[in-house]
Amino acid sequence: DVKVTQSSRYLVKRTGEKVFLECVQDMDHENMFWYRQDPGLGLRLIYFSYDVKMKEKGDIPEGYSVSREKKERFSLILESASTNQTSMYLCASSPQTSGRFLDTQYFGPGTRLTVL
Amino acid sequence: QKEVEQDPGPLSVPEGAIVSLNCTYSNSAFQYFMWYRQYSRKGPELLMYTYSSGNKEDGRFTAQVDKSSKYISLFIRDSQPSDSATYLCAMRSGATNKLIFGTGTLLAVQP
């Protein structure tokens, strides 16, 4: 079974802090994604990566950065956390193949981040 | 206007009912259509996958795509309390690996 793990289930940080969210997958997937999920807005893509050291902006990259130094690990960084970044953050991975396999994204359990 | 529209619900039905969940979209380039299911405090998981138009059936679940109307549906027959979850539609064009998700519909099946 594919397993995607996220470093924390719940996190509370203060405004202005630097926040690291870690994601690790164990299936040698090329693609990794970071989303945030908010009521009424659904899942929105923040950043994604097709390969090590490669990253592309998603739909809402402002205020975030990412790092992918190893294939299995994809980190999301909030350089200076703000209250409007309070959200559920979901990491996902998928293989770089075609059709159904490409679109089968395996999600982690999520990190609920609260910024005070 | 959002690219993908989905009624957030909540939708409450009695056990055994037929459930219909729907999404509309605006981008005619979308070719790949998915339904993900998300249980409370879990990440989403892929439930159904359809390429282009047509129907796909898997047990109690049927996915329909009508590209001419830009409308997709998920039908659940003989619904069970274990089907209670949020259902998210997702789709993409052939030009990208990015999925566009709907906001999700919260379904509650009452025993």
Side-chain angles (χ1 to χ4, degrees):
Chain A
D1 270 357
V2 174
K3 195 162 184 185
V4 178
T5 56
Q6 295 184 229
S7 48
S8 306
R9 291 301 303 269
Y10 300 94
L11 208 53
V12 180
K13 295 292 182 181
R14 298 220 173 263
T15 302
E17 280 192 78
K18 190 168 185 175
V19 182
F20 292 87
L21 302 182
E22 303 284 339
C23 175
V24 177
Q25 50 95 2
D26 67 358
M27 280 300 289
D28 203 36
H29 285 170
E30 288 80 10
N31 300 328
M32 295 189 77
F33 307 84
W34 273 108
Y35 296 90
R36 62 178 285 178
Q37 187 173 30
D38 301 286
L41 297 175
L43 277 167
R44 293 180 292 166
L45 183 64
I46 304 171
Y47 267 97
F48 60 105
S49 169
Y50 292 146
D51 203 348
V52 175
K53 296 192 188 293
M54 178 275 171
K55 60 186 178 185
E56 289 215 16
K57 293 179 180 179
D59 300 316
I60 52 163
E62 296 78 21
Y64 303 94
S65 62
V66 290
S67 172
R68 192 162 181 205
E69 296 296 319
K70 293 186 177 182
K71 191 175 186 180
E72 68 271 17
R73 188 180 297 268
F74 193 34
S75 303
L76 180 69
I77 303 150
L78 287 67
E79 294 290 341
S80 177
S82 63
T83 55
N84 63 12
Q85 292 178 309
T86 292
S87 186
M88 171 68 82
Y89 289 87
L90 287 159
C91 174
S93 72
S94 74
Q96 185 60 33
T97 56
S98 59
R100 182 186 181 112
F101 299 102
L102 178 66
D103 294 320
T104 304
Q105 294 192 12
Y106 295 87
F107 283 84
T111 295
R112 183 162 295 281
L113 172 67
T114 302
V115 182
L116 301 176
Chain B
Q1 184 191 3
K2 290 181 182 175
E3 277 192 288
V4 178
E5 299 275 1
Q6 183 175 10
D7 187 335
L11 182 62
S12 182
V13 301
E15 184 174 353
I18 296 174
V19 176
S20 172
L21 304 167
N22 311 293
C23 287
T24 58
Y25 62 94
S26 57
N27 188 343
S28 58
F30 287 151
Q31 298 179 48
Y32 303 90
F33 303 92
M34 289 133 265
W35 287 94
Y36 277 78
R37 178 175 61 194
Q38 185 177 20
Y39 290 115
S40 180
R41 290 186 287 276
K42 301 272 190 183
E45 56 181 351
L46 184 67
L47 183 64
M48 296 290 285
Y49 182 88
T50 311
Y51 169 65
S52 194
S53 281
N55 291 5
K56 182 139 182 216
E57 190 172 320
D58 184 359
R60 297 184 295 110
F61 299 90
T62 300
Q64 278 186 358
V65 175
D66 181 349
K67 290 190 73 180
S68 62
S69 302
K70 297 191 182 71
Y71 189 87
I72 71 170
S73 301
L74 177 70
F75 297 96
I76 307 174
R77 290 184 299 282
D78 187 26
S79 57
Q80 302 295 309
S82 58
D83 296 327
S84 298
T86 297
Y87 290 80
L88 301 117
C89 62
M91 52 197 78
R92 72 174 175 92
S93 71
T96 176
N97 291 348
K98 285 170 49 177
L99 296 182
I100 307 298
F101 283 86
T103 53
T105 299
L106 178 61
L107 171 67
V109 181
Q110 308 297 334

